[in-house]
Amino acid sequence: MNNKIKDISLDAISRFTGIFPLVLSMCVCAGMGTIAGVILACMAVLLSAGFEQKKMMPVFTSFLIAVFTLNMYGPSALSAAVIFCGILLIISAPAHKKLNEYFRSPAIPSAMLATALSVTVLFTTDYFGIGATGAIPKTMIESYLSLGFHPNWRGVLYGTIVMVIMITFPRKFKNACKILSAAFLGLIATVLLNLWLNPSDMITAIKEVGTFSFADYKDTFILPVTSQPSAVLNGIMCGFALYFTVFYSLSLISAGKKDYMLCGAANAALGFVTCGFIPSEINKKNYVSSFAAAILTGLVAFIFKDFIARIPVHSCAVVLIVGAWNSVKWSELKNVFKSVKGIVCLISVVLAYLFTGAVYGTLITVVISVLYVKIFSNKSNA
């Protein structure tokens, strides 16, 4: 009995430390605030009972799509995108195995690299405290060139500490990393350092994540009821892009229609923070530990809300940047360079992401992937 309690407790802590830092960092860097990070983290750990999150880039690609949709078209468009993504998943369920073949091309690992580059370009401003703005990498780079390189060195220190921890800790302490994620330890270390260097939040020298307040709830999670049809139309366009990132996750599993629908619903519901969930073995311990992890998330957020508010945004940005690069499948990317057509494919996808952003970059990648499979697969079969 004691061993079961111990296992459930360790599993709950592992889910909390693994999911909370990523979701919080995503919501903070997206401008949604700490309340969104806490609520979505609770939902994510609850969903983790029936699913396990694999090392997949779509979680970051979906995040970039959501950030673009939110910043350009507002929360109504984002809600419409998630709903439309879910509708597409239902429609495509009967034919999902036939559609899987179109996601077997050099365009997919190329998109992983393009996503990591995009995350780095878009959130280096938060890492260095530059104050640049831009919805896509191209405009962000132009903003960097316009503003010049004037980093906040204290913020750079915090972010670099997180980077060192996230790179070295999993390699040196593999067993401990299964319980306490490197991202979680990085945020803890830098917030403690920040509290020491900046005792008062009134005279802080850096940008922090801000206070934990339920006053932002209404503005953060708004239903797609709007008087502007353009918001819904833009949301549908972004929903297409979100759908393809979710579908790619589902294309990697050899499951039946039931698993596809269940997993698709989970990914669509929290597309920009949990995309990459695939079915795992479900048992009572999973449900108990995920429920305990959700309670732990809520309690930590409430009890330590003032502590969480002092987390440097610089640290959150590095969690995203390092996480994105860690999710690149280097073995698959290595195969891209074995042929000229693979290299051309990679260059095309990377340029598409850098010049058009995650939404159009994803749609262009899908077109390239389909054409690649159609053209070269037909030639090989002839």
Side-chain angles (χ1 to χ4, degrees):
M1 184 66 179
N2 290 333
N3 288 335
K4 288 184 178 179
I5 295 176
K6 180 182 178 180
D7 291 341
I8 291 174
S9 300
L10 291 176
D11 191 32
I13 294 173
S14 176
R15 293 173 191 269
F16 163 68
T17 64
I19 294 176
F20 181 71
L22 178 62
V23 178
L24 178 68
S25 297
M26 286 182 166
C27 290
V28 167
C29 291
M32 298 176 68
T34 54
I35 177 62
V38 172
I39 293 175
L40 290 176
C42 288
M43 295 173 66
V45 294
L46 282 173
L47 282 174
S48 67
F51 303 95
E52 58 181 346
Q53 191 172 25
K54 293 296 186 181
K55 182 181 177 181
M56 297 179 187
M57 182 52 67
V59 65
F60 292 96
T61 307
S62 299
F63 165 64
L64 291 179
I65 292 171
V67 171
F68 176 85
T69 307
L70 184 66
N71 291 339
M72 292 297 293
Y73 309 122
S76 293
L78 178 57
S79 298
V82 173
I83 292 174
F84 186 66
C85 171
I87 293 173
L88 289 176
L89 286 170
I90 294 173
I91 295 174
S92 64
H96 78 277
K97 290 186 177 180
K98 294 181 180 179
L99 295 173
N100 288 352
E101 63 179 286
Y102 297 112
F103 290 82
R104 302 289 187 268
S105 78
I108 304 305
S110 299
M112 296 179 179
L113 176 63
T115 296
L117 288 170
S118 299
V119 169
T120 303
V121 171
L122 291 173
F123 298 105
T124 292
T125 182
D126 293 321
Y127 174 17
F128 286 86
I130 298 172
T133 57
I136 62 176
K138 175 179 177 292
T139 56
M140 184 63 81
I141 291 174
E142 292 173 349
S143 183
Y144 289 143
L145 295 175
S146 174
L147 291 172
F149 191 75
H150 302 288
N152 182 318
W153 291 112
R154 184 170 289 182
V156 172
L157 171 63
Y158 297 146
T160 303
I161 290 173
V162 174
M163 182 178 296
V164 171
I165 292 175
M166 289 187 68
I167 293 174
T168 60
F169 185 74
R171 297 178 181 180
K172 298 293 184 179
F173 306 96
K174 293 183 179 180
N175 292 329
C177 196
K178 295 178 181 179
I179 305 299
L180 298 174
S181 72
F184 179 79
L185 293 177
L187 293 185
I188 293 293
T190 52
V191 74
L192 289 174
L193 181 60
N194 185 40
L195 289 171
W196 178 51
L197 297 176
N198 297 294
S200 174
D201 59 350
M202 300 298 293
I203 55 174
T204 182
I206 62 161
K207 184 178 181 181
E208 300 170 350
V209 302
T211 57
F212 178 83
S213 172
F214 281 97
D216 300 328
Y217 178 84
K218 182 179 179 181
D219 295 331
T220 301
F221 299 94
I222 186 171
L223 293 175
V225 178
T226 175
S227 59
Q228 297 180 346
S230 61
V232 176
L233 294 176
N234 290 322
I236 290 175
M237 180 270 295
C238 297
F240 269 113
L242 182 62
Y243 162 74
F244 288 119
T245 62
V246 173
F247 185 86
Y248 171 65
S249 297
L250 301 176
S251 72
L252 299 177
I253 64 174
S254 56
K257 181 178 177 181
K258 182 179 178 181
D259 288 332
Y260 174 92
M261 295 296 293
L262 185 63
C263 184
N267 281 283
L270 294 173
F272 77 105
V273 294
T274 62
C275 184
F277 276 8
I278 67 172
S280 63
E281 183 179 353
I282 301 175
N283 55 50
K284 291 182 179 180
K285 188 185 76 171
N286 285 349
Y287 281 117
V288 173
S289 60
S290 64
F291 185 74
I295 294 177
L296 178 62
T297 302
L299 287 175
V300 169
F302 179 77
I303 296 174
F304 299 99
K305 58 180 182 296
D306 295 332
F307 183 80
I308 293 174
R310 301 298 310 277
I311 295 176
V313 172
H314 310 262
S315 301
C316 294
V318 172
V319 168
L320 298 183
I321 293 172
V322 177
W325 285 103
N326 284 340
S327 295
V328 175
K329 292 187 175 181
W330 297 104
S331 59
E332 293 184 9
L333 191 62
K334 182 180 179 180
N335 294 329
V336 173
F337 291 93
K338 292 182 178 181
S339 65
V340 174
K341 58 181 179 288
I343 296 174
V344 172
C345 186
L346 182 145
I347 295 174
S348 301
V349 170
V350 170
L351 291 177
Y353 270 82
L354 294 181
F355 282 90
T356 67
V359 173
Y360 292 104
T362 299
L363 297 177
I364 292 172
T365 298
V366 172
V367 173
I368 293 175
S369 184
V370 171
L371 292 176
Y372 186 95
V373 172
K374 280 288 186 181
I375 295 173
F376 296 106
S377 294
N378 290 339
K379 285 185 178 180
S380 62
N381 293 332

